[in-house]
Amino acid sequence: MTPRSSSAGSKEIKTADVVVPGGSGIDARTLRRLTAVPGIRVTPVTSMNVRIGTAQGEQIDSLTTNAVPAAALGATITPPVLSGSLASPPDNFLVIDEHAAQADSLSAGDHVVALLPTGEKVRSVIAAVAARGLRGDDTYVSASLTGAVMPSQVYLDSTAGPGRPLDERQTAAVNQALAGSGAHVLTYGAYLEVQRAHAAEQTNNAAVVILGIALAYALIAVANTLIMAMAGRLREFALLGLAGTVRSQIVKVAAAEAAVTVVVGTVLAAVATGLAAATQHISLSKLVTGAPTVIPWAQILGTVALCALFTVVTASGATARATRRRAIEAAGIRE
């Protein structure tokens, strides 16, 4: 086991292990058992939604925040501070990120009223403003304000120093304290990987749904366009038939035209997508260093193949249907 020091968004956590609950949270009994393990530092973290407002009752914003002990700031939890300080925060501290500070015109030292999920209103002071995060709000509220609530997770490290790993004896004691609770221990690196995988899965699922809806509408539009276009070319097909072109050859020509259309459309879409991706990369680079660019080749190639197949089949079917009549009869039809 090695110490971990990783970042997620703008948040910096210095911890060796994370206790992940198996249910809705970690109960008080399990937390007492963890706290009783000698030589480890226990930092309970509770995720919650907090509304902040003025003393006059005017609501300012709604934040997704983490309730943490004051002693954890600057030790276990060290977000990049833009203004204010994490040193010796007051018992009623509130740390907000740059996004909330700009959107709500708040700064370090401002006093606000926080409405907790329990319905209780508490006065708090903004101790610091942290750098903007990519994974939503990166805000923290004092655990002393939230009362006895079940932690969403617990950070563990050695009392020898933040980020120091637990030894084998301490690890065994932690596992014994968690026995029967449904919670389990992960290294912080493994915990981040689980979170990234979960976020990636959610993003992919959303992308598939959105792409599927857009693709369905696009294919319907393509089918309508091709059917109307082929019906409008009856005289052209009839003249080709009178010139000696057999019906199968006419269908092949229409299919080839459809394939060329797909190729041209793919090239234009690739250019537009490249410009959009470049714009997004530039925007993300202003928020985080080294923003990764991921190209979903499987989805792209699958979409192109489906469009090509659907377009060629629709064009062939519409052409075959339009050329069922004898060429001499179709040639006399007025457009």
Side-chain angles (χ1 to χ4, degrees), residues 99-232:
H99 173 72
Q102 292 177 350
D104 304 326
S105 299
L106 296 173
S107 59
D110 289 348
H111 292 261
V112 296
V113 175
L115 178 61
L116 303 178
T118 58
E120 182 182 3
K121 293 182 179 180
V122 294
R123 294 183 177 273
S124 60
V125 58
I126 299 176
V129 176
R132 186 191 302 264
L134 290 179
R135 298 178 60 186
D137 297 333
D138 193 13
T139 64
Y140 304 91
V141 65
S142 174
S144 63
L145 299 177
T146 60
V149 293
M150 289 195 303
S152 306
Q153 58 197 22
V154 173
Y155 296 148
L156 301 178
D157 56 354
S158 174
T159 53
R164 295 290 298 274
L166 309 182
D167 57 30
E168 293 183 0
R169 179 182 58 81
Q170 291 170 332
T171 302
V174 168
N175 289 329
Q176 183 177 0
L178 296 177
S181 66
H184 59 281
V185 182
L186 293 175
T187 63
Y188 189 64
Y191 171 74
L192 286 182
E193 288 302 322
V194 171
Q195 295 297 311
R196 292 190 186 103
H198 180 66
E201 181 181 2
Q202 288 182 322
T203 301
N204 289 337
N205 291 340
V208 168
V209 172
I210 295 173
L211 180 61
I213 295 174
L215 190 58
Y217 278 105
L219 293 180
I220 292 173
V222 168
N224 290 334
T225 301
L226 288 174
I227 292 173
M228 289 187 295
M230 296 310 169

Side-chain angles (χ1 to χ4, degrees), residues 41-110:
R41 190 194 322 270
V42 178
T43 304
V45 178
T46 306
S47 299
M48 60 178 60
N49 292 321
V50 173
R51 288 183 290 175
I52 57 175
T54 64
Q56 292 73 31
E58 180 183 357
Q59 182 172 329
I60 298 176
D61 201 350
S62 179
L63 303 175
T64 301
T65 186
N66 292 313
V68 298
L73 287 183
T76 302
I77 299 173
T78 56
V81 175
L82 299 179
S83 62
S85 174
L86 300 179
S88 301
D91 290 337
N92 61 338
F93 75 84
L94 178 65
V95 176
I96 62 175
D97 61 10
E98 182 184 7
H99 173 72
Q102 292 177 350
D104 304 326
S105 299
L106 296 173
S107 59
D110 289 348

Side-chain angles (χ1 to χ4, degrees), residues 16-27:
D17 298 283
V18 180
V19 176
V20 181
S24 58
I26 298 173
D27 58 31

